[in-house]
């Protein structure tokens, strides 16, 4: 029988077998599944059937140190049934299994040991890799940046001033970190190594500065202490840093001079200049006195300049003159008043002239008779 999609029902059904049943140890709180159990030699009593070996080269400057520490390395590997050989002619270290080897994974640990020794890790620290709970990671950083100067600058950001950044990363990640040449060697747990690799790659690729990673790790350490936040997402508590584009100084390109097949004229030497000025023929005493005089003049100029700079701080700044808006209005009012006064004075003068005209002459011209004056005394 087929369903709507044309797939048989017996194919979609999952047959549950005995292996799908829950086991009694699946939910046992006493079992720690992340714990690495120490190897017991009784688990592999027969030993190894085949011989496995690894070899690695080391730089020339490590030859003297490896000669000194090789007895301690040999004795540490002998406890686990691993034989080692230091070849100074070929510049290589070799480790291989023997009949006494019981742990099959110890050869991988021995391979990591000689890798760390070749990358300038001290022997006492490198021997710790033989422990089951210790792991290592060698991060190659030389091919992440093309520009050599930029690579050196970013690698210094990882180390920090007086190795302070590197020490902080070691404390927060619980890992041993060594920056050497084009590689970064780290030793610790799987969780710490994962954090170290991310921090190193972000720093060299200029994605995030190690200081920001340190801040995030410190906040995570604080959040781990709170049991209420153990099963929650911490993204809302962690800071988010935005990348800023810093403007770089533009390199001034030199102007190309026109090509001439003739070489430039030879510049005069110091002796030639002394011969021209006549200083060459002066005595040593005169030369020293002249130098002392020039030095005194320069000191006096410098002293005067410093004094001028100091006094400049006490000179009060010029206050800007505020123009009052009412001044302009007052000036306009005065001009209008003067104009009106002139007009009134003109009209007044005209009026005065009209008053001085002879009334009789004016009436004679018009033909009107002057009115008779009434006598003060009444006629009886």
């Amino acid at each position: 029988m087929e369903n709507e999609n044309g797939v048989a029902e017996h194919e979609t059904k999952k047959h549950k077998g005995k292996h799908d049943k829950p086991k009694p140890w699946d939910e046992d709180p006493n079992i720690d599944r992340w714990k690495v159990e120490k190897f017991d030699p009784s688990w592999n009593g027969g030993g190894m059937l085949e011989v496995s070996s690894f070899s690695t080269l080391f730089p020339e400057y490590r030859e003297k140190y490896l000669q000194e520490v090789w007895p301690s390395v040999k004795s540490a590997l002998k406890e686990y049934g691993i034989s080692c050989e230091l070849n100074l002619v070929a510049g290589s270290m070799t480790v291989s299994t023997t009949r006494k080897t019981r742990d099959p994974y110890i050869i991988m640990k021995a391979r990591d040991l000689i890798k760390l020794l070749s990358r300038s890790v001290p022997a006492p620290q490198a021997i710790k890799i033989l422990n089951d709970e210790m792991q290592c990671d060698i991060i190659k950083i030389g091919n992440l940046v093309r520009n050599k100067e930029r690579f050196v600058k970013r690698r210094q950001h990882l180390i920090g001033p007086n190795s302070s950044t590197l020490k902080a990363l070691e404390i927060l990640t619980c890992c041993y970190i060594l920056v050497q040449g084009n590689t970064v060697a780290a030793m610790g747990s799987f969780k710490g190594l994962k954090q170290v690799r991310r921090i190193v790659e972000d720093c060299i690729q200029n994605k995030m500065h190690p200081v920001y990673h340190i801040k995030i790790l410190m906040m995570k350490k604080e959040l781990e202490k709170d049991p209420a936040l153990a099963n929650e997402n911490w993204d809302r508590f962690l800071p988010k840093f935005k990348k800023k584009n810093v403007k770089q100084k533009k390199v001034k390109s030199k102007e190309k001079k026109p090509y001439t097949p003739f070489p430039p004229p030879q510049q005069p030497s110091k002796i030639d200049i002394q011969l021209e000025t006549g200083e060459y023929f002066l005595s040593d005493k005169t030369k020293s006195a002249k130098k002392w005089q020039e030095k005194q003049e320069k000191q006096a100029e410098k002293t005067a300049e410093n004094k001028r700079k100091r006094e400049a701080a006490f000179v009060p700044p010029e206050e800007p003159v505020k123009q009052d808006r009412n001044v302009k209005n007052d000036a306009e009012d005065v001009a209008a008043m003067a104009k009106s006064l002139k007009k009134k004075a003109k009209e007044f003068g005209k009026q005065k002239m009209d008053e001085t005209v002879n009334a009789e002459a004016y009436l004679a011209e018009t033909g009107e008779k002057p009115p008779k004056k009434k006598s003060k005394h009444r006629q009886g």
Side-chain angles (χ1 to χ4, degrees), residues 100-114:
K100 295 180 180 179
T101 308
R102 294 292 178 266
D103 188 357
Y105 192 72
I106 197 65
I107 187 65
M108 308 300 289
K109 294 276 190 177
R111 179 202 62 180
D112 294 340
L113 171 62
I114 59 175

Side-chain angles (χ1 to χ4, degrees), residues 208-250:
M208 189 182 287
H209 198 279
V211 173
Y212 298 142
H213 276 294
I214 288 168
K215 289 181 180 179
I216 292 168
L217 288 172
M218 288 173 70
M219 293 194 73
K220 284 183 178 178
K221 288 277 183 185
E222 293 296 323
L223 291 167
E224 282 175 2
K225 296 176 184 178
D226 192 355
L229 300 171
N231 299 322
E232 290 189 17
N233 191 3
W234 294 345
D235 288 344
R236 55 198 174 100
F237 300 109
L238 301 176
K240 294 177 182 178
F241 303 103
K242 292 182 179 179
K243 187 177 178 182
K244 296 179 181 178
N245 293 326
V246 182
K247 290 184 179 179
Q248 296 180 351
K249 292 181 180 178
K250 292 183 180 179

Side-chain angles (χ1 to χ4, degrees), residues 321-332:
V321 179
K322 293 182 180 179
Q323 293 183 353
D324 195 355
R325 294 178 182 177
N326 297 326
V327 173
K328 191 176 181 181
N329 297 336
D330 292 345
E332 291 176 358

Side-chain angles (χ1 to χ4, degrees), residues 145-255:
V145 184
R146 289 184 179 180
N147 193 343
K148 187 70 177 175
E149 293 179 1
R150 199 172 293 169
F151 168 73
V152 172
K153 192 175 181 181
R154 291 177 187 176
R155 188 179 62 182
Q156 188 59 36
H157 288 168
L158 187 63
I159 298 167
N162 200 17
S163 301
S164 58
T165 307
L166 203 64
K167 288 174 186 174
L169 289 172
E170 286 181 349
I171 293 166
L172 291 168
T173 58
C174 302
C175 292
Y176 170 81
I177 307 169
L178 178 70
V179 182
Q180 176 72 16
N182 294 332
T183 58
V184 177
M187 293 174 62
S189 62
F190 285 115
K191 184 182 176 183
L193 292 175
K194 190 177 178 182
Q195 291 173 341
V196 170
R197 177 172 276 275
R198 186 183 174 189
I199 292 165
V200 170
E201 288 180 353
D202 284 358
C203 176
I204 301 300
Q205 292 174 354
N206 202 25
K207 289 182 179 178
M208 189 182 287
H209 198 279
V211 173
Y212 298 142
H213 276 294
I214 288 168
K215 289 181 180 179
I216 292 168
L217 288 172
M218 288 173 70
M219 293 194 73
K220 284 183 178 178
K221 288 277 183 185
E222 293 296 323
L223 291 167
E224 282 175 2
K225 296 176 184 178
D226 192 355
L229 300 171
N231 299 322
E232 290 189 17
N233 191 3
W234 294 345
D235 288 344
R236 55 198 174 100
F237 300 109
L238 301 176
K240 294 177 182 178
F241 303 103
K242 292 182 179 179
K243 187 177 178 182
K244 296 179 181 178
N245 293 326
V246 182
K247 290 184 179 179
Q248 296 180 351
K249 292 181 180 178
K250 292 183 180 179
V251 181
K252 293 181 180 178
S253 59
K254 294 181 180 179
E255 295 180 0

Side-chain angles (χ1 to χ4, degrees), residues 21 40 44 86 119 162 185 205 219 236 250 269 273 295 325 328:
K21 292 179 181 178
D40 190 0
N44 187 17
L86 178 66
R119 280 172 170 79
N162 200 17
Q205 292 174 354
M219 293 194 73
R236 55 198 174 100
K250 292 183 180 179
S269 64
I273 295 167
K295 190 177 180 181
R325 294 178 182 177
K328 191 176 181 181

